[in-house]
Amino acid sequence: MKLFATIVFVLSVLMIHAQGRGDSVGTIKPMRQTSVHDPVMIKEGNTYYLFCTGFGISVYSSTDLQNWKKEKPVFATAPQWAVEAVPGYRGHTWAPDISYFNGRYYLYYSVSTFGKNNSCIGVAVNKTLNPSSPEYKWEDLGKVIASVPGKDRWNAIDPNLIIDENKVAWLSFGSFWSGLKLVKLNSDLKTLAQPDQLVSIAARSNGNGTDTTGGNAIEAPFIFKKGEYYYLFASWDYCCRGEKSNYKVVVGRSKQVTGPYLDKNSVTMTSNGGTLVLEGDAKEWFGAGHNAVYHADGKDYIVYHGYDALDKGRSKLLINELAWDKEGWPTLKK
């Protein structure tokens, strides 16, 4: 009986510890050992791969979504076209997006410098993501779209590819300025089908009629198809400020990939609309955002980064399983 009581006590302590352990934002497990910005995830075979902001584009691999191994970056040296196109760019490459289509992986990436919209989106392709495969080789296809200061009131960064129900490819992108945009791609997924026809899909107003980096804090579009709806996720407010970060993720939905995207209150995302999905709590994560959504093994995952309140606001990897409420809106599964 004494042994049984001891076992019950130990199990009770373990259960309490597990229930109270760093889970305020509903994470599978806070991966504080994995420091990333702007992660996107895909699975090949039994291995998950993360692509993140970093020199040459940072890459991680995992077989359990918990323990992540850092792989070699996509680019050993900065693409020369990008160095020439964006003054100040030296290889630190932002906000990649990964998709598999017609037998190849398409990796879109952002070339820019902080606070400016002299920016480009490029794309590279590979037959496999397994660095041990003899077929593993990234081929850079160069520039897809660029924004020009003084001409364009939008910013060509934060790309995301979506293939619609008619197998037509679209690229969403944008940060600050006049908000998030969508453009149709040709079937090669590297050239614009309608270069002069950008669709506005989300925006925030700073109230003074200007489009600058100071007040229109929206970026990181990600479009995910679920049932009859396209869901547009976006990040509001500010990343990259450590303990002062207040990033958060909002969502709207539409039955058309081009929108309009409405939130739960039927407010369009081009008019400050957006239903909150997640945010920081100042106890464990000062801010959390720049998400991707990925379906694997019968589950939907939301992948993002948070600014760790237990580690001086350093950016860390977070992954949740998504649940969907009775009205079809995404929430973090507890």
Side-chain angles (χ1 to χ4, degrees), residues 213-234:
T213 60
N216 300 342
I218 185 172
E219 58 189 10
F222 196 98
I223 299 176
F224 181 73
K225 184 71 158 52
K226 180 77 172 179
E228 61 181 340
Y229 287 104
Y230 293 92
Y231 291 82
L232 171 60
F233 295 82

Side-chain angles (χ1 to χ4, degrees), residues 35-40 50-60 70-79 89-97 107-112 305:
S35 182
V36 303
H37 264 100
D38 316 325
V40 65
L50 286 178
F51 295 85
C52 318
T53 290
F55 281 96
I57 307 176
S58 296
V59 184
Y60 294 82
K70 192 164 188 179
E71 305 285 356
K72 290 183 179 179
V74 171
F75 299 126
T77 58
Y89 171 73
R90 296 292 181 269
H92 192 258
T93 307
W94 301 349
D97 179 71
L107 180 69
Y108 294 87
Y109 57 90
S110 309
V111 177
S112 189
H305 69 261

Side-chain angles (χ1 to χ4, degrees), residues 57-129:
I57 307 176
S58 296
V59 184
Y60 294 82
S61 65
S62 174
T63 56
D64 61 6
L65 292 176
Q66 302 288 343
N67 301 288
W68 293 91
K69 172 188 174 185
K70 192 164 188 179
E71 305 285 356
K72 290 183 179 179
V74 171
F75 299 126
T77 58
Q80 188 59 36
W81 73 265
V83 172
E84 295 172 358
V86 178
Y89 171 73
R90 296 292 181 269
H92 192 258
T93 307
W94 301 349
D97 179 71
I98 187 73
S99 296
Y100 185 74
F101 187 74
N102 283 348
R104 293 203 296 182
Y105 291 93
Y106 286 79
L107 180 69
Y108 294 87
Y109 57 90
S110 309
V111 177
S112 189
T113 54
F114 205 80
K116 298 180 180 180
N117 75 326
N118 185 8
S119 308
C120 299
I121 292 170
V123 63
V125 295
N126 204 332
K127 291 182 180 180
T128 178
L129 302 180

Side-chain angles (χ1 to χ4, degrees), residues 44 49 69 71 126 128-137:
E44 182 184 18
Y49 293 91
K69 172 188 174 185
E71 305 285 356
N126 204 332
T128 178
L129 302 180
N130 181 0
S132 299
S133 170
E135 293 189 302
Y136 180 86
K137 182 181 180 181

Side-chain angles (χ1 to χ4, degrees), residues 141-152:
L141 302 182
K143 182 176 68 177
V144 177
I145 190 170
S147 52
V148 179
K151 173 189 173 186
D152 299 314

